[in-house]
Amino acid sequence: METIRDDILVRVRRVLIDSLSLNIEEDDLQYSESLDQVIGLDSLAVLEFIAALEKEFGITIEQEKLELSLLRDLSALADYIQSLSAAPPASDTPA
Amino acid sequence: MIAERLEQTAARFPDSIALVDGDTRISYLELTWRVTAFARYLKQDLALAPGEAVGFFLPNCWQFVVGFFAVAKIGVVCMPFNTRWRASELESCVRRFPVSAVVTSQELREPWDRLGELIPPERVLVIEKPEVAEALAPESSAQADWRGHQSAEKGIALNLMTSGSTGRPRVAPRSHRAMLAGATNVGQAVGVRAGQRFLAIVPFYHSNGLNNCMFLPLVHGATIVVMKKFEPRRFVDLVRTNKIQVLIVSPLILRVLGDQNLDAGSFSSVEVCLSSGAPTPRALAELWQDRFAIRVRQLYGSSETGTISIEPADAPIRGGSVGTPVPCVEVRVLDSAGGERALGEVGEIVIRGPAMMPGYVGEPELNARVFTGGYFRTGDVGKLDEDGNLSIVGRKKRTINFGGIQVDPGEIEAVIEKMPGIRGCRALGVMDRRQSEIIKAVIEVGDEHNRSRREVVEHCRRFLAEYKIPRVIDFVNAIPVDLTGKQLMAWGSSSDELSSQQNEKTATD
């Protein structure tokens, strides 16, 4: 289970950087770090990030139910995505 | 004048639904009752007088609509504020452009509570408060014959906040007559008719949201279904259940919807789809054509001018095209000396029309620069072809368009330059991988200082709304001299200015 979650974490971080065109190295973004420390969490950014997560993991995230606290922390977000249990295996995604 | 126009529409279609907001459905006749009751409350209980301004700090909701027509009815100016702004941003505006009261909601009121020195608490009209709620929704039509104030044609109905490039917001005023002229002309260009159903998703604090999503349909006896916040599945549900016929959206909304797994018939009721606020990439318009059989038509306009042009329904999809001018709007393309450019030649777009502002409030020097021979200089660069079709190829003015909201680079630079150890900053718009404009800050730091992205974000958050915090932050030892922020940005062409600078580094790394 740990490896699935680790894989989700890596992918969530990459989706964040790619979907918002952030100029950050992946390794420079800590999983426990609050996202609003590195970006402005405006509604457009949240919208784009969620849309990209849904596409990446083939899931549906109800934005109205999504608490902002989940979006602040990549680990919490990865747990949430895992709980939706629709994440395809890591081998489906490019390195 | 505006309020009288609503009453005339209500006299023709009293029982038609004007407004749907969740479970609230308001007919035209009932809307006029509510407008009258709220106007009377503002005038009699708050003693507002013609010429004063009322701030609106609300999401799209029925109370905004009632409030807008109510202030117009007593000759008071509606001044909408972006609901994402922080108290410090609101304060700098209100100090320069005072408001006599603010209409807001319980959820959003917090910044105003901190500005008590400028707006006393009893002037913060929270829509959930019993006396305000009662004035907004009277139980009967007993007050319906109250006349209010007959606004003069040239009287100002709306003060729109717009950003420049110098760190100081500007106010573009629109008269009653200008607003009605704009709605008439756009109505003609689009073919708006009574009973047609609009989805109002563009925020009403935005020129396009207020004028085209709210005012335009209500002038014509159409119905608006308001949406407070974009959420893709709820958007699709609202379109389906209300059989929405007119969509006015932004490229970002089209993109997010295009990414969803939706049926080809999801938007089968839609007759008109206008995309505005930013250029719609050609590939995105083609995707909507192919997947949903919807011709997304670009709408081009500004807070200063109202709607300038719209792509015709039968025009081929062309990157950069913004269509033909709406009726009564004149478009010219000028060279730097003010001479007329030949068809097909690129120059600055200037426009003249009845929906235009008379000039920025309290900015005589600026007004002398932005008007030339009665034409407003848009700051956009483009060309006209022999069919009268206007295309935009770039931008002359120094501004950033983030998701359809104009952001002032000077404001961001001034905030970042307050940080210790920062020698200078340039903020500019760059295209992301999907051809949306995002904010980039290039920051010059002294040799002895390490600065990190996190410090910049934290600092910006103290002074700026979240959406103004730069997404791309670069640290340099010297800002390149040619980085003026006035770079031309192509509408509909690809650009990849981000590619070479993807690493966050401190300047001394």
Side-chain angles (χ1 to χ4, degrees):
Chain A
M1 287 303 282
E2 273 305 305
T3 52
I4 292 175
R5 186 173 175 280
D6 290 349
D7 166 62
I8 292 173
L9 262 176
V10 171
R11 288 161 67 193
V12 166
R13 186 168 64 178
R14 195 176 57 235
V15 168
L16 174 76
I17 291 171
D18 287 351
S19 66
L20 301 184
S21 300
L22 303 178
N23 59 337
I24 308 177
E25 291 281 9
E26 285 188 32
D27 290 344
D28 197 31
L29 191 57
Q30 305 301 311
Y31 295 131
S32 57
E33 188 166 34
S34 178
L35 286 190
D36 59 4
Q37 283 182 275
V38 284
I39 56 168
L41 272 182
D42 65 273
S43 55
L44 297 186
V46 172
L47 195 63
E48 295 229 60
F49 181 37
I50 290 177
L53 284 174
E54 291 184 333
K55 204 171 179 182
E56 169 77 14
F57 293 100
I59 53 173
T60 298
I61 297 175
E62 292 300 330
Q63 287 186 37
E64 284 173 8
K65 290 180 192 161
L66 190 69
E67 290 172 33
L68 207 56
S69 58
L70 274 183
L71 270 181
R72 292 225 160 113
D73 180 339
L74 289 179
S75 298
L77 191 54
D79 290 340
Y80 175 69
I81 289 171
Q82 192 173 11
S83 76
L84 295 174
S85 68
S91 55
D92 283 4
T93 59
Chain B
M1 200 177 165
I2 279 174
E4 289 78 12
R5 180 60 180 265
L6 180 72
E7 284 159 15
Q8 289 161 11
T9 308
R12 290 175 66 201
F13 314 105
D15 301 322
S16 296
I17 296 297
L19 193 55
V20 178
D21 179 358
D23 295 332
T24 304
R25 296 170 75 83
I26 303 175
S27 71
Y28 270 91
L29 184 61
E30 198 182 345
L31 179 59
T32 60
W33 295 345
R34 293 188 186 210
V35 167
T36 300
F38 195 58
R40 192 167 165 161
Y41 164 75
L42 294 175
K43 187 159 178 99
Q44 295 185 346
D45 291 19
L46 294 173
L48 294 185
E52 290 183 62
V54 167
F56 280 64
F57 197 69
L58 285 172
N60 288 7
C61 58
W62 69 262
Q63 292 92 339
F64 196 127
V65 179
V66 169
F68 170 76
F69 284 100
V71 298
K73 193 176 170 76
I74 56 171
V76 165
V77 182
C78 166
M79 189 146 160
F81 293 100
N82 187 325
T83 51
R84 293 180 276 178
W85 281 4
R86 299 189 195 287
S88 58
E89 292 163 301
L90 295 168
E91 180 181 358
S92 68
C93 282
V94 174
R95 282 203 186 278
R96 287 179 58 216
F97 307 105
V99 293
S100 304
V102 175
V103 188
T104 186
S105 66
Q106 191 59 40
E107 190 186 352
L108 293 174
R109 66 178 292 170
E110 191 268 340
W112 297 100
D113 292 340
R114 291 202 263 148
L115 301 177
E117 181 204 332
L118 291 169
I119 310 281
E122 66 275 15
R123 294 279 173 140
V124 177
L125 311 178
V126 176
I127 57 175
E128 291 89 353
K129 266 192 199 165
E131 68 272 21
V132 180
E134 206 172 292
L136 282 162
E139 284 185 1
S140 75
S141 60
Q143 299 174 321
D145 58 347
W146 188 76
R147 295 312 308 165
H149 170 85
Q150 188 72 32
S151 300
E153 285 192 3
K154 287 188 178 175
I156 299 304
L158 178 65
N159 269 350
L160 282 168
M161 307 294 310
T162 168
S163 67
S165 57
T166 57
R168 257 166 47 124
R170 304 162 179 169
V171 164
R174 305 281 287 279
S175 68
H176 284 248
R177 184 169 63 180
M179 287 197 67
L180 278 172
T184 304
N185 299 336
V186 175
Q188 204 178 323
V190 177
V192 177
R193 57 184 194 275
Q196 213 170 24
R197 291 176 296 277
F198 282 61
L199 185 63
I201 174 68
V202 181
F204 292 159
Y205 58 73
H206 193 282
S207 171
N208 184 44
L210 195 140
N211 284 292
N212 292 332
C213 288
M214 187 260 266
F215 189 63
L216 168 73
L218 292 177
V219 162
H220 289 88
T223 300
I224 62 173
V225 177
V226 298
M227 189 172 184
K228 287 183 175 60
K229 187 183 165 202
F230 176 69
E231 200 277 310
R233 279 167 291 276
R234 184 158 158 66
F235 184 97
V236 175
D237 275 353
L238 281 177
V239 170
R240 198 188 66 240
T241 53
N242 294 284
K243 298 187 177 59
I244 295 295
Q245 291 157 304
V246 182
L247 282 181
I248 302 174
V249 291
S250 64
L252 181 75
I253 288 179
L254 293 171
R255 193 166 95 187
V256 171
L257 289 169
D259 281 344
Q260 305 285 312
N261 186 18
L262 298 174
D263 297 337
S266 297
F267 305 104
S268 58
S269 58
V270 174
E271 298 164 1
V272 176
C273 178
L274 304 176
S275 174
S276 68
T280 309
R282 182 181 178 147
L284 184 58
E286 287 170 346
L287 181 147
W288 272 72
Q289 180 77 65
D290 295 345
R291 259 187 84 187
F292 305 119
I294 286 182
R295 171 67 170 100
V296 173
R297 298 158 63 185
Q298 185 75 46
L299 180 150
Y300 168 54
S302 71
S303 300
E304 291 86 350
T305 61
T307 301
I308 297 170
S309 63
I310 300 174
E311 278 189 287
D314 56 358
I317 298 174
R318 290 182 283 198
S321 170
V322 293
T324 49
V326 298
C328 303
V329 169
E330 297 169 65
V331 172
R332 294 169 68 196
V333 177
L334 304 182
D335 61 28
S336 52
E340 191 101 25
R341 285 286 198 192
L343 291 178
E345 283 184 5
V346 169
E348 183 176 11
I349 298 167
V350 302
I351 87 121
R352 186 166 71 176
M356 206 156 83
M357 66 162 187
Y360 296 112
V361 175
E363 300 272 11
E365 286 170 18
L366 178 63
N367 289 332
R369 288 202 303 275
V370 297
F371 284 97
T372 172
Y375 286 80
F376 177 74
R377 302 173 60 179
T378 62
D380 291 319
V381 175
K383 59 186 178 183
L384 276 165
D385 67 19
E386 57 277 9
D387 301 324
N389 191 73
L390 182 65
S391 300
I392 294 183
V393 298
R395 191 185 293 159
K396 208 175 160 192
K397 63 192 168 189
R398 197 172 164 252
T399 180
I400 301 169
N401 183 338
F402 178 65
I405 304 285
Q406 300 294 318
V407 178
D408 179 352
E411 184 185 12
I412 296 169
E413 290 163 1
V415 165
I416 292 177
E417 285 172 357
K418 275 190 219 165
M419 290 179 73
I422 300 290
R423 285 185 181 159
C425 173
R426 275 283 173 279
L428 63 158
V430 293
M431 290 296 186
D432 71 7
R433 291 178 189 81
R434 300 183 70 177
Q435 296 180 32
S436 286
E437 197 171 338
I438 56 174
I439 303 170
K440 173 176 178 173
V442 179
I443 302 172
E444 182 175 328
V445 289
D447 293 340
E448 70 280 19
H449 286 280
N450 269 325
R451 279 281 169 263
S452 74
R453 174 189 190 92
R454 289 157 182 82
E455 288 172 283
V456 174
V457 169
E458 186 188 351
H459 174 79
C460 286
R461 182 168 285 120
R462 289 170 53 206
F463 303 99
L464 299 170
E466 294 285 315
Y467 71 93
K468 295 179 188 170
I469 299 176
R471 288 257 184 97
V472 180
I473 299 175
D474 268 354
F475 297 96
V476 295
N477 290 319
I479 293 172
V481 284
D482 56 348
L483 191 68
T484 62
K486 282 187 181 175
Q487 83 292 0
L488 289 185
M489 296 221 315
W491 279 51
S493 71
S494 65
S495 164
D496 190 11
E497 295 192 34
L498 296 173
S499 56
S500 61
Q501 299 149 334
Q502 293 294 311
N503 303 329
E504 180 192 11
K505 298 278 183 197
T506 57
T508 48
D509 274 353

